[in-house]
Amino acid sequence: MKRFWKAADLTQVDGGWQVALDRRPVKTRCGSAQILPTRALGELLRGEWADAPEEVHPDHFPLRDLADRAIDSIADDREPVIARLLGFADGDTLCYRAEPDEAVARRQTQVWDPIIAEVEDELGITLSRTHSILHKPQTEPSRAAIRHRLETESAFVLAALDASASLAASLCVALAGLKDDADAQALWAAANLEEDFQTEQWGADAEALARRNAHEAEFARALAFARAARSPD
């Protein structure tokens, strides 16, 4: 459809910040006021509307989709997304390693261990690691600590964590991305370590590379959304 607005502005309202298109406040797809918790997040969404092309498509508004999910779905029932994130902890890519004598195992240790260590230090836990392809869930004390950590986050952060953990197949990577100085590119490379290792051995496939780059952009957006939602303003 054609872009129907000229100006996208951000206004402080009761409960947070709201984007207005030609002075008309934006609502979620379910019709709720799309009120954002921080000015930083409001500016991200304002920029998304302001930068939209003349011919717009729903895919042009991934940040709006995250905000809508937070407001319309997660805010009233946080348990499903928390349970889903705990599933990513149980099957975290960073905890499933190659056999120690494989070349890729050395790279896994070098790249993945510091990311896991930060999560362990923050939560006071030790995450289970395995060299088997068999599912090995985390211990109940670890799951409890992770659950408590997730329960401290807003619906907006949970929406972004779910998106980034899904893309990375790693809750550890997603949590590391919440830090103010997080390097999204390095974290995405960590999540794709095994795939990139295989590419080095056998060469790149153009279609796979394009898909990887598209997913990396989604991942970086989700992390930016989460950090903005946590901004102290």
Side-chain angles (χ1 to χ4, degrees), residues 205-220:
D205 174 84
E207 184 176 338
L209 181 59
R211 184 169 56 250
R212 182 193 191 283
N213 290 341
H215 287 168
E216 180 177 2
E218 292 180 52
F219 175 78

Side-chain angles (χ1 to χ4, degrees), residues 22-166:
D22 295 338
R23 299 187 179 181
R24 295 191 295 272
V26 171
K27 294 184 177 182
T28 69
R29 296 185 190 278
C30 290
S32 300
Q34 194 192 69
I35 297 176
L36 308 163
T38 67
R39 181 170 187 167
L41 186 58
E43 286 292 353
L44 276 185
L45 270 78
R46 186 204 64 78
E48 186 174 70
W49 287 104
D51 295 340
E54 289 303 313
E55 288 288 339
V56 295
H57 186 274
D59 290 348
H60 293 149
F61 303 99
L63 299 178
R64 178 195 180 183
D65 290 343
L66 284 174
D68 284 0
R69 185 182 176 210
I71 295 168
D72 291 336
S73 299
I74 298 175
D76 290 335
D77 187 5
R78 298 155 59 89
E79 179 55 29
V81 72
I82 289 175
R84 179 173 156 85
L85 287 166
L86 285 170
F88 286 118
D90 281 336
D92 200 300
T93 291
L94 275 59
C95 293
Y96 287 78
R97 306 294 181 89
E99 293 297 332
D101 60 345
E102 295 183 50
V104 69
R106 292 190 290 274
R107 189 176 300 182
Q108 289 171 340
T109 298
Q110 179 182 13
V111 175
W112 289 353
D113 279 1
I115 298 172
I116 291 180
E118 285 192 1
V119 174
E120 292 176 327
D121 289 346
E122 178 187 353
L123 301 182
I125 60 177
T126 299
L127 293 173
S128 302
R129 300 158 174 78
T130 181
H131 297 290
S132 170
I133 61 172
L134 297 178
H135 181 61
K136 185 176 183 180
Q138 299 301 329
T139 65
E140 284 307 313
S142 291
R143 287 175 58 85
I146 295 168
R147 171 179 282 279
H148 178 73
R149 170 70 177 79
L150 295 173
E151 288 173 345
T152 67
E153 297 293 355
S154 71
F156 292 88
V157 175
L158 290 175
L161 278 176
D162 189 40
S164 55
S166 298

